[in-house]
Amino acid sequence: MKPIVAVATFLGGVGPTGVETHFNQILGDVAERGGDARLVTPYTGPRLHRALFRPLKNARSERGSLLYARCQAVILKQQLAKIFAEAGEQSLTVYAQSPAAAEVALAARAGRPGRVTMVVHYNISECDEIINKGLARPGGPWCRHLERVERETLPKLDALVFGCDFMRRTVSARVPAIAAVPQQVIFNFAPPPPAENQGKTPVRDLLAIGTLEPRKNQGFLLQVLAAARDDGHRYTLTLVGDGPDRKKLEQLTRELNLGDQVTFAGFQRHASALIPGHRMLVHAAKQENCPLIIPEALSYGRPVAAAPVGGIPEMIRDGVESIHWDLAQPGEAARRLAALLEDRPRYAAAAAAARARYDDAFAGMRERWLNFLAPPSASSPAPRP
């Protein structure tokens, strides 16, 4: 019988996030290997329930947002319970994309066979993320809820996956009880680029991909661009993504007189396809886990500039295939950027090192993910006691 891998998430599955890119790649690879790959989300639940809960979606209070999340959990639990019941003794792995989805999956399992696993996608903590977005306050009801779910759910899982060792250490310090849970650290992976997209000559300089929000810190990239121009180096920058910071970034672009150098490309469904048209990927996030866009850039042989935060130093090496820049010093970052881009032999060496880094550190991750989620000839395990 085919092994079943069910991704449990509160995301829609077609949006702009790296999380969705990740699990859609996983589902595609499971199906390609002959498994039964399923996306389970409240957005594919009963239409009546979705209509009843829709007024809560745009709640302006923390408690309203929390109530909406709980309503979504009801829909997700119904769908997962049905999958557990139908699977019987068939190998089943539920791959949750958040602690809340994992909590629902454990409740839906209700003692039946099957494995409930989770990947840690968030940066530092889910509380930090919603606070940084201005959606909640420290110690408020939403943060308390997220902290409880993480603390109580993670130790009950059958396995945990971290995208980097930094996040394994961070979560372990906050929830020591996960020491008893089987764990793996597996880098995010990116498939090799299509042959027709390899070897293309770049037509622009810098590419940044990500939601336009405070954590992603794209304003730093504009400051770097202005500092480089003042030093006599005029580079183009493509900002891919949308979000709450767009108007502020457009205003900063005008203030720095960068209008003819910066392109706001908006949300792009297949943003990685833009990589070969640029000389380099640039990244300015203040917090990060294991951003998928980095191995995607490396797969095309493109060097990366990024701050050494979170799991990034585990992914790319300063002075080899990347520049690790200081987010407090845009002028120095501009000088380091120009030193690479204006030196053809050095740039060529960094580009070759980028592809080699992809081959050495990321190309094998696909098999590790598949063997973890859908091991060949595995039967459905009993739940952990």
Side-chain angles (χ1 to χ4, degrees):
M1 292 186 291
K2 293 182 178 181
I4 302 171
V5 175
V7 167
T9 179
F10 287 99
L11 298 171
V14 295
T17 69
V19 174
E20 287 162 295
T21 300
H22 164 79
F23 65 63
N24 281 321
Q25 286 179 344
I26 291 289
L27 289 170
D29 287 340
V30 168
E32 185 179 314
R33 191 186 243 195
D36 182 349
R38 307 187 189 185
L39 176 62
V40 190
T41 165
Y43 297 98
T44 56
R47 189 171 298 176
L48 174 61
H49 286 181
R50 295 187 348 246
L52 289 173
F53 299 152
R54 191 174 295 121
L56 294 169
K57 185 175 183 179
N58 297 317
R60 295 177 179 267
S61 70
E62 287 188 51
R63 293 190 184 280
S65 298
L66 190 53
L67 178 59
Y68 176 70
R70 286 173 171 159
C71 292
Q72 294 287 79
V74 170
I75 302 175
L76 189 65
K77 182 180 176 182
Q78 290 174 341
Q79 295 181 86
L80 288 171
K82 183 177 180 181
I83 291 174
F84 275 110
E86 291 175 349
E89 296 301 317
Q90 191 173 353
S91 174
L92 168 62
T93 296
V94 173
Y95 180 43
Q97 304 299 293
S98 67
E103 179 185 48
V104 170
L106 289 169
R109 182 169 64 181
R112 289 183 286 251
R115 204 168 51 134
V116 178
T117 68
M118 195 197 88
V119 62
V120 175
H121 284 297
Y122 43 90
N123 304 288
I124 308 298
S125 74
E126 289 191 308
C127 283
D128 279 7
E129 290 198 349
I130 62 171
I131 290 169
N132 290 339
K133 291 178 179 179
L135 300 176
R137 66 185 190 279
W142 200 349
C143 274
R144 293 198 305 272
H145 170 75
L146 292 174
E147 290 167 349
R148 178 197 63 78
V149 170
E150 182 188 59
R151 183 177 62 251
E152 295 179 1
T153 301
L154 267 57
K156 299 176 184 176
L157 293 170
D158 297 300
L160 269 168
V161 184
F162 299 91
C164 61
D165 195 59
F166 167 79
M167 280 307 302
R168 184 195 62 79
R169 298 193 308 270
T170 299
V171 177
S172 295
R174 193 166 58 241
V175 190
I178 67 170
V181 178
Q183 302 172 21
Q184 291 194 43
V185 175
I186 312 178
F187 280 148
N188 260 331
F189 73 95
E196 62 270 19
N197 286 345
Q198 299 185 43
K200 285 187 175 180
T201 302
V203 295
R204 290 179 65 81
D205 298 312
L206 310 176
L207 174 68
I209 298 176
T211 304
L212 305 183
E213 62 179 354
R215 179 179 68 85
K216 293 293 187 179
N217 193 32
Q218 287 92 347
F220 172 80
L221 301 177
L222 299 177
Q223 292 173 339
V224 171
L225 213 63
R229 180 199 56 203
D230 293 345
D231 287 340
H233 305 293
R234 195 175 187 83
Y235 301 125
T236 55
L237 168 66
T238 305
L239 289 174
V240 176
D242 217 333
D245 274 7
R246 176 154 183 167
K247 289 185 178 179
K248 183 173 73 172
L249 292 168
E250 289 175 336
Q251 177 62 30
L252 181 58
T253 299
R254 290 189 291 269
E255 291 173 0
L256 295 174
N257 295 316
L258 295 170
D260 60 343
Q261 295 174 247
V262 179
T263 297
F264 287 83
F267 167 64
Q268 300 285 325
R269 181 75 183 274
H270 301 289
S272 62
L274 300 176
I275 293 172
H278 295 76
R279 299 169 68 192
M280 191 167 181
L281 178 79
V282 289
H283 197 73
K286 300 174 183 178
Q287 292 180 356
E288 271 298 358
N289 184 335
C290 180
L292 176 61
I293 190 58
I294 287 181
E296 287 179 325
L298 298 177
S299 74
Y300 282 98
R302 296 297 187 263
V304 178
V309 297
I312 287 177
E314 300 172 42
M315 304 174 73
I316 46 176
R317 301 161 295 182
D318 187 30
V320 185
E321 64 279 335
S322 76
I323 295 171
H324 289 178
W325 53 22
D326 185 341
L327 297 177
Q329 299 187 46
E332 176 59 25
R335 287 186 285 274
R336 295 199 68 196
L337 185 68
L340 177 60
L341 292 177
E342 300 301 321
D343 186 331
R344 289 189 178 183
R346 184 178 173 187
Y347 175 82
R355 178 60 203 213
R357 180 63 174 167
Y358 170 80
D359 291 337
D360 292 344
F362 297 96
M365 293 300 108
R366 177 179 183 270
E367 284 303 311
R368 286 193 61 188
W369 279 105
L370 290 176
N371 289 334
F372 168 74
L373 291 169
S377 304
S379 59
S380 190
R384 290 178 67 237

